[in-house]
Amino acid sequence: QSAVTQEVSVSGTVGQKVTLSCTGNINNIGSYAVGWYQQISHGAPKTVMFGNSLPSGIPDRFSGSKSGTTASLTISGLQPEDEADYYCSTWDYSLSAVVFGGGTKLTVL
Amino acid sequence: QEQLQESGPGLVKPSETLSLTCTVSGDSISGYYWNWVRQSPGNGLEWIGHIYYTGTTNYNSSLKSRVTISLDTSKSQFSLKLSSVTAADTAIYYCARAPLYGGRAVYFDYWGQGSLVTVSS
């Protein structure tokens, strides 16, 4: 059982807004910012969000937020190229470890 | 633009030690946590451990007894050694950089392309 959980799968149509969630506890998401990573076709992960900051080169249709012990990645105006696995991560101070969510498979219909 | 590149054997025999090196180019080693993350076939990402540029390490408790991460600042490289490997250690191994954020390694900003390591006799 991971310390941080994500939806197994989410789907949306082109142009739709979708939100992926990452739920933890006070030891991790409740205390630290969250990173989000996109992995297309089992390639190397690519960072698409950290906290609510957008890395250089990432489209501004990606946005991040956090409320309590749940972080969210929202994609506004979904594009076919957004179809991928998305993972979240943060630090867990009770485990003294980086923790990953199990990943969400985003399908663009 | 930071670049990270993993290198090392793609095949390791059971019970032997897996060794990988990550070469960093484009920026200084200083001020960051240098991480190893792996992904076994069909599974998600698993954090193995990291080393801060000062030499302080943290490891995943499930692997701690078998893992050593070291840093060679003169070569801008950091390395992973995983001992007593089994088929369960077959995975793609990624190196990744984590900035200091709130005093911790909270997220990764740059990743290597990954190195597939198969454990088999």
Side-chain angles (χ1 to χ4, degrees):
Chain A
Q1 183 75 16
S2 176
V4 171
T5 59
Q6 300 180 246
E7 302 98 336
V8 173
S9 63
V10 170
S11 62
T13 56
V14 173
Q16 190 178 8
K17 182 171 78 171
V18 295
T19 298
L20 283 59
S21 66
C22 177
T23 301
N25 56 49
I26 190 64
N27 297 323
N28 43 63
I29 295 176
S31 298
Y32 299 99
V34 171
W36 289 91
Y37 316 100
Q38 177 191 65
Q39 187 176 40
I40 297 175
S41 299
H42 304 293
K46 177 182 179 181
T47 303
V48 294
M49 185 66 55
F50 49 88
N52 54 7
S53 299
L54 204 59
S56 173
I58 302 301
D60 61 6
R61 62 177 180 273
F62 287 85
S63 63
S65 63
K66 188 177 79 166
S67 178
T69 58
T70 297
S72 299
L73 177 71
T74 297
I75 308 173
S76 302
L78 196 61
Q79 298 298 306
E81 60 265 31
D82 298 331
E83 184 163 291
D85 294 324
Y86 289 84
Y87 294 90
C88 60
S89 81
T90 189
W91 180 258
D92 187 303
Y93 72 74
S94 68
L95 298 174
S96 290
V98 172
V99 290
F100 281 101
T104 296
K105 182 177 181 60
L106 174 62
T107 301
V108 180
L109 302 171
Chain B
Q1 179 84 359
E2 191 82 295
Q3 289 189 321
L4 290 77
Q5 179 67 58
E6 305 88 353
S7 59
L11 181 65
V12 181
K13 290 182 169 55
S15 80
E16 295 190 344
T17 296
L18 178 161
S19 296
L20 291 172
T21 296
C22 182
T23 301
V24 180
S25 58
D27 204 349
S28 171
I29 286 279
S30 298
Y32 297 98
Y33 286 95
W34 300 96
N35 297 260
W36 289 98
V37 175
R38 71 180 183 178
Q39 185 172 35
S40 53
N43 290 329
L45 301 173
E46 179 183 26
W47 180 72
I48 298 170
H50 65 209
I51 186 165
Y52 194 44
Y53 77 103
T54 57
T56 302
T57 55
N58 279 101
Y59 301 128
N60 185 324
S61 60
S62 68
L63 299 168
K64 189 171 185 176
S65 63
R66 300 193 291 130
V67 173
T68 302
I69 297 176
S70 59
L71 183 64
D72 186 338
T73 55
S74 67
K75 295 182 179 179
S76 292
Q77 292 179 333
F78 63 107
S79 298
L80 168 71
K81 290 190 185 300
L82 181 66
S83 64
S84 304
V85 296
T86 69
D89 295 308
T90 293
I92 298 174
Y93 286 77
Y94 297 100
C95 57
R97 189 183 85 169
L100 186 64
Y101 193 101
R104 300 297 185 182
V106 170
Y107 69 92
F108 308 101
D109 57 358
Y110 289 100
W111 297 74
Q113 286 302 299
S115 178
L116 174 62
V117 179
T118 302
V119 178
S120 175
S121 55

